[in-house]
């Protein structure tokens, strides 16, 4: 699963490039020696600079307390190569399973947070919690991406987009309409 | 552009079917006789029941005051057939243009809100503002979807997913993995 394509750091305002299209992501977390991974589809870009991403992590998830207490996470971007892991991770609980170990995923050291990232993913967004004001009411966490890296190729990875009912849409054709945009609207 | 495929009401918890994959949407709004449309990619499903959707509408957008004052909007789902309108609407301001008229879009009456929906779109989600506590700080609106309709076909529309820089990803292949999911995890 793991490949040797180089990981490159990216300017933080380019995070939207990967997350705005709406892929399923794998959120890794850690607290006091315990780590976990969850599958997550409820996220949105919220600002370019600082680079903010909001996501819903239900209080019923084992990851909830880990991210709330540590105030950190890594948003990892899987592709179709990891579809079985995406489903398996979503189907299981970190209360019963060491998910890195069980799913054969490589926990690598992040650069700016104390949370392992998932080496096999296409991109990694290291996050610090900056606004927890809607956590109690809506399980909504607002993160600042403080470090971001992605594989050099492919430029447009085959990400997974969940529609519910066990059905995924896979990222398809790329249409470049740059010439139609006003520069300030890109 | 407009076709005759029947629009069907859907249970509100099925909204995620269309929005969780992360498509670009067209948000229509109205206030005191004025209406507008904006192109938006920063949104997330937040709950099934009530059916909640959060989105960032920057205070720099003409739509900001319309949705804030009316507390209503319609989230319309365009497909590739509307890519020129999606770009044109994103490139222009409602302060200078009647977008329904300029882009030749049909304003139809919604069922539960006083906001016109865009007839040519594949699906319509009529929304009422339920939480504006993060509007001042993050331009973040939390909506309850109070009525939802989608065309009967195609089952998986060719939605547009924006990556920035004038480049869209088009919804691609559908992978059904229902058999791998625990029933409560679908």
């Amino acid at each position: 699963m793991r490949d040797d394509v180089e990981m490159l750091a990216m300017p933080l305002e380019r995070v939207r490039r990967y997350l705005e299209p709406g892929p399923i992501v794998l959120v890794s977390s850690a607290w006091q020696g315990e780590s976990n991974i969850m599958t997550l589809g409820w996220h949105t870009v919220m600002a370019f600079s600082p680079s903010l991403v909001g996501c819903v992590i239900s209080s019923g998830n084992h990851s909830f307390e880990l991210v709330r207490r540590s105030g950190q996470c890594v948003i990892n971007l899987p592709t179709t190569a990891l579809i079985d892991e995406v489903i398996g991770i979503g189907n299981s609980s970190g209360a019963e399973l060491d998910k890195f170990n069980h799913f054969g995923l490589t926990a690598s050291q992040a650069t700016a947070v104390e949370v392992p990232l998932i080496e096999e993913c296409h991109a990694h967004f290291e996050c610090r919690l900056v606004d927890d004001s809607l956590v109690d009411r809506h399980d909504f966490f607002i993160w600042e991406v403080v470090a971001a890296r992605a594989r050099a190729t492919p430029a447009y990875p085959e990400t997974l987009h969940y529609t519910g009912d066990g059905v995924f849409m896979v990222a398809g054709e790329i249409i470049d309409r740059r010439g139609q945009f006003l520069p300030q609207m890109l």
Side-chain angles (χ1 to χ4, degrees), chain A residues 32-177:
Chain A
Q32 293 189 335
E34 185 184 5
S35 65
N36 196 24
I37 313 174
M38 71 176 286
T39 297
L40 183 142
W42 291 7
H43 59 79
T44 180
V45 177
M46 296 186 71
F48 290 120
S49 181
S51 176
L52 300 185
V53 176
C55 71
V56 177
I57 296 177
S58 165
S59 58
N61 283 297
H62 189 69
S63 295
F64 180 85
E65 287 297 335
L66 275 61
V67 299
R68 204 167 64 127
R69 290 174 191 274
S70 69
Q72 301 186 340
C73 77
V74 178
I75 298 174
N76 304 268
L77 183 66
T79 61
T80 49
L82 291 171
I83 187 168
D84 290 327
E85 289 78 0
V86 162
I87 297 169
I89 289 166
N91 263 335
S92 57
S93 170
E96 296 153 8
L97 211 61
D98 174 337
K99 296 197 191 181
F100 274 101
N101 187 44
H102 183 84
F103 293 103
L105 296 169
T106 311
S108 293
Q109 197 167 355
T111 61
V113 296
E114 307 289 309
V115 173
L117 48 78
I118 304 169
E119 187 65 29
E120 288 80 1
C121 283
H122 182 83
H124 306 120
F125 307 105
E126 303 180 24
C127 299
R128 290 205 191 109
L129 186 59
V130 291
D131 192 327
D132 64 357
S133 60
L134 287 188
V135 168
D136 286 342
R137 199 159 25 168
H138 294 294
D139 297 337
F140 189 68
F141 294 78
I142 302 180
W143 304 98
E144 179 177 353
V145 181
V146 292
R149 293 157 65 85
R151 289 190 196 281
T153 60
Y156 294 97
E158 275 201 335
T159 48
L160 295 163
H161 300 252
Y162 193 56
T163 74
D165 288 326
V167 174
F168 295 87
M169 176 272 281
V170 180
E173 186 190 353
I174 297 299
I175 301 182
D176 186 342
R177 290 292 184 96

